[in-house]
Amino acid sequence: MSMRSGGSGEIPVETVRVARAAFPKGSLAIRVRDELGVMFQDGDFAALFGVRGRPAWSPGRLALVLVLQFVEGLTDRQAAEAVRARIDWKYALGLELTDTGFDYSVLSEFRDRLVGADGGRELLDGVLSAARRHGLITAGASARTDSTHVLSAVREINQLELVTETLRAALNAAARVEPGWVGENARADWFKHYATRAEESRFPKARVQRDQVYRRIGDDGTLLLRMAWADDAPPRLRSLPELEVLRQVWVQHFHLIDGEVARRGPKDRPPGATRLVSPYDTEARGGAKGEVRWDGYKVHVTETCDPDTVHLITNVSTTVATVTDAQMAAVVHAGLAERDLLPGEHWVDTGYANAGAVVAARRDHGVALHGPMRPTTAPHARTAYAQEAFAIDWDNQRVTCPSGVASTQWHQRRSKTGHPTVRVRFSPADCRSCPALRECVNSPRAERREINLRPREEYEALQHARALQQGDEWKARYKIRAGVEGTISQGVRACDLRRSRYRGMAKTSLQHQLTGAAINLIRIDAWLTGTLHARTRASHLTALRPAA
């Protein structure tokens, strides 16, 4: 399929006349077109189309349709109908009134092209570029970031349902490509146990009986894998994605003990970052944040937050659910740097704030990262022998304890997670004679104090941040971060941010880029019309609380 040009970009005269008459006060689509002009050019998407074939609808216009679709929460059919029937959309797209639009299936095809080329960012970038041309956003402004969980598009299932559905999906895939082989080799009871979805089965509640079901399913799946990988099996079976998923799930949940298939215990299963949670969305993972548990992904949203300006989303990053916030500050800054939208100050919560992130933000991007540092959890944190009570001479690689004794060993090490640390040890001869030894060490048998230090730059940054955050001025300034919670709420209410519409990381990421672009258009329109921010909701009881 080749690309068809969207024309000169000028709005037809008759479309302008009718739109002005029909919408004397304007609409979001009309105001955004008037203020920002053409946000997406066909040339931005030229790499997605070939030079030959049937001409496609203008990709620049399709990109705007996708964003407007998310603004109004429309289905593909409704969005295609809006292009055909609504005057304000024709105005925004620069179409003749007689233009009949396109079939709704074109939108899913265009999304697939965007996903394949990682083009989702082009949609958010198009809105940001237009906003920048009109002075609505600049580099160096303050920004804030937060994350929220995203449920996978597939249904959450328990482990028994997982292994059942995985085997059922593998059998269905094999029956599709090699029906004769399956009919010849399948056990007779497979048609009974795996003909319908697991959710329609009535699994026993008693633990002994459920264990028997697990063993039966484990035996059946192991047999199917052995038959599929036998020398006389059709080669096409081994290339089926469903068979590979079956193999992975069986490795994660079953093992052989004395030649018998047995279920793995909880401690024998792989970590959550690699453990599959559904055979129908193999990139989704099980996540946990506080009391929230979910299967799916996580999205990180960054927005500008300077007062008296329109607050626009400048970066959206999608990860699997197991990626922690502590890993994301550098990723967010890299995304902002590519757009030349790095903030001067970046306000985050405790999840993002750590000494390494603060140092990296300042060193690599010149960004001041602000967020509450986690309190130390060391055994001596609140005693006279806390780590802060020890004097550190970084130049001479020596630490002096509160009793005036100097350390004897200073070694560069790496933590279990691979981060550089400094291991400091005192001499047992010095510590044994110290009357405060038992208060200073954690173990009742320890004969000397040992300290693990961060690298100097991180250690000093951490101490400085903790001291700064004790002051009332910093606490007052930090209140600006709370506004990003409203952005998350707007994304959830307006664009269903916490529910993936599609399967897989790439399509979920595209959904989030579209969500960011849609919220930006909504906010730009509110800015143009002078719409005030909604007041923070408070219960009647909270409103009566004394202002102590």
Side-chain angles (χ1 to χ4, degrees):
M1 182 176 291
S2 62
M3 184 179 71
R4 187 179 75 184
S5 173
S8 64
E10 296 293 330
I11 306 174
V13 175
E14 185 65 10
T15 302
V16 173
R17 186 186 69 81
V18 175
R20 298 298 183 196
F23 296 90
K25 295 183 180 180
S27 70
L28 182 146
I30 292 174
R31 284 189 291 267
V32 166
R33 174 60 191 258
D34 288 342
E35 181 67 22
L36 302 183
V38 178
M39 287 181 286
F40 306 103
Q41 302 291 339
D42 291 338
D44 297 337
F45 307 94
L48 306 183
F49 296 86
V51 296
R52 297 182 179 181
R54 179 172 56 85
W57 215 67
S58 164
R61 285 170 171 161
L62 284 175
L64 181 56
V65 171
L66 287 179
V67 176
L68 291 175
Q69 176 186 9
F70 270 67
V71 168
E72 301 191 15
L74 305 180
T75 65
D76 286 355
R77 288 178 184 270
Q78 291 170 333
E81 179 66 13
V83 173
R84 186 188 69 82
R86 285 179 51 176
I87 298 171
D88 58 335
W89 278 44
K90 289 184 183 293
Y91 183 97
L93 295 167
L95 296 176
E96 297 281 358
L97 293 177
T98 55
D99 195 303
T100 58
F102 52 82
D103 185 79
Y104 73 94
S105 61
V106 171
L107 290 176
S108 63
E109 294 173 2
F110 185 57
R111 282 196 301 269
D112 288 341
R113 290 178 182 270
L114 290 173
V115 168
D118 193 24
R121 284 189 52 179
E122 292 288 345
L123 303 174
L124 178 58
D125 289 350
V127 176
L128 291 174
S129 296
R132 170 176 283 183
R133 289 194 299 269
H134 290 75
L136 298 177
I137 187 173
T138 58
S142 297
R144 53 196 177 195
T145 296
D146 200 7
S147 67
T148 190
H149 61 278
V150 179
L151 302 180
S152 172
V154 299
R155 189 176 69 90
E156 185 175 346
I157 55 180
N158 59 39
Q159 292 181 15
L160 184 54
E161 290 175 317
L162 169 63
V163 294
T164 304
E165 274 301 300
T166 303
L167 179 53
R168 193 181 77 86
L171 285 169
N172 274 322
R176 184 180 68 250
V177 299
E178 294 290 345
W181 182 87
V182 173
E184 181 180 347
N185 291 277
R187 287 177 171 176
D189 61 348
W190 287 3
F191 300 97
K192 170 186 175 183
H193 295 306
Y194 310 114
T196 58
R197 297 183 66 89
E199 62 194 65
E200 300 176 11
S201 303
R202 293 185 177 180
F203 294 114
K205 295 183 178 180
R207 182 170 183 175
V208 174
Q209 294 175 323
R210 289 179 72 89
D211 288 343
Q212 292 175 350
V213 173
Y214 266 114
R215 285 195 294 272
R216 187 253 302 164
I217 297 172
D219 288 337
D220 292 344
T222 302
L223 177 60
L224 177 59
L225 289 170
R226 286 174 177 169
M227 291 190 301
W229 262 262
D231 294 338
D232 59 347
R236 286 200 298 175
L237 290 175
R238 293 186 284 273
S239 63
L240 290 174
E242 292 83 355
L243 265 293
E244 174 58 23
V245 173
L246 175 67
R247 187 192 66 79
Q248 293 182 35
V249 171
W250 252 239
V251 168
Q252 293 176 359
H253 288 269
F254 298 100
H255 57 169
L256 292 176
I257 299 180
D258 298 329
E260 299 291 330
V261 178
R263 183 187 177 194
R264 289 185 183 273
K267 295 184 178 180
D268 289 332
R269 296 178 194 136
T274 58
R275 190 164 63 245
L276 302 183
V277 296
S278 171
Y280 305 117
D281 189 349
T282 57
E283 294 179 297
R285 293 293 182 268
K289 189 174 183 180
E291 299 298 322
V292 180
R293 301 288 188 274
W294 77 99
D295 291 343
Y297 305 91
K298 186 187 287 187
V299 60
H300 305 260
V301 179
T302 303
E303 67 172 357
T304 59
C305 58
D306 284 328
D308 301 323
T309 63
V310 57
H311 296 164
L312 298 181
I313 294 174
T314 53
N315 191 78
V316 180
S317 298
T318 305
T319 69
V320 295
T322 52
V323 175
T324 63
D325 293 351
Q327 302 171 255
M328 290 304 297
V331 176
V332 171
H333 291 151
L336 292 170
E338 291 179 12
R339 297 180 169 95
D340 192 24
L341 288 174
L342 281 169
E345 292 184 326
H346 190 183
W347 299 88
V348 296
D349 64 13
T350 305
Y352 295 88
N354 57 76
V358 170
V359 170
R362 182 176 62 241
R363 179 191 65 230
D364 300 338
H365 302 289
V367 175
L369 183 67
H370 295 288
M373 294 295 178
R374 294 184 186 275
T376 179
T377 56
H380 310 287
R382 292 179 174 83
T383 70
Y385 299 94
Q387 190 178 104
E388 290 73 13
F390 288 68
I392 304 173
D393 185 348
W394 293 95
D395 296 328
N396 295 308
Q397 297 186 348
R398 185 181 296 112
V399 176
T400 304
C401 77
S403 299
V405 177
S407 62
T408 58
Q409 297 182 36
W410 179 289
H411 299 292
Q412 303 290 339
R413 295 284 188 267
R414 286 196 174 272
S415 66
K416 293 181 180 180
T417 57
H419 294 92
T421 62
V422 177
R423 182 81 163 178
V424 177
R425 290 176 174 172
F426 290 80
S427 170
D430 294 331
C431 291
R432 284 197 203 102
S433 60
C434 179
L437 175 62
R438 298 273 68 89
E439 300 175 51
C440 187
V441 298
N442 184 38
S443 171
R445 297 183 179 180
E447 297 183 348
R448 63 179 174 185
R449 177 67 184 268
E450 299 181 0
I451 297 177
N452 288 320
L453 299 175
R454 298 173 181 269
R456 180 175 184 175
E457 193 175 12
E458 293 186 13
Y459 180 88
E460 292 178 345
L462 180 61
Q463 301 309 313
H464 175 73
R466 283 177 173 166
L468 190 67
Q469 291 165 14
Q470 298 304 313
D472 293 336
E473 180 184 356
W474 188 91
K475 293 178 180 178
R477 295 185 65 209
Y478 183 68
K479 292 179 180 179
I480 195 174
R481 192 215 67 87
V484 74
E485 304 285 355
T487 298
I488 298 294
S489 177
Q490 184 178 15
V492 171
R493 290 180 290 106
C495 303
D496 203 11
L497 181 64
R498 288 200 181 110
R499 167 72 70 177
S500 178
R501 296 187 178 192
Y502 318 108
R503 299 181 185 181
M505 168 78 83
K507 289 187 176 182
T508 301
S509 178
L510 173 60
Q511 172 186 339
H512 294 156
Q513 299 293 334
L514 282 165
T515 297
I519 291 176
N520 281 348
L521 287 193
I522 294 172
R523 291 185 169 185
I524 290 172
D525 182 63
W527 179 263
L528 295 175
T529 57
T531 303
L532 299 177
H533 291 171
R535 296 180 60 184
T536 301
R537 289 174 293 178
S539 67
H540 297 292
L541 179 62
T542 302
L544 296 176
R545 182 172 55 188

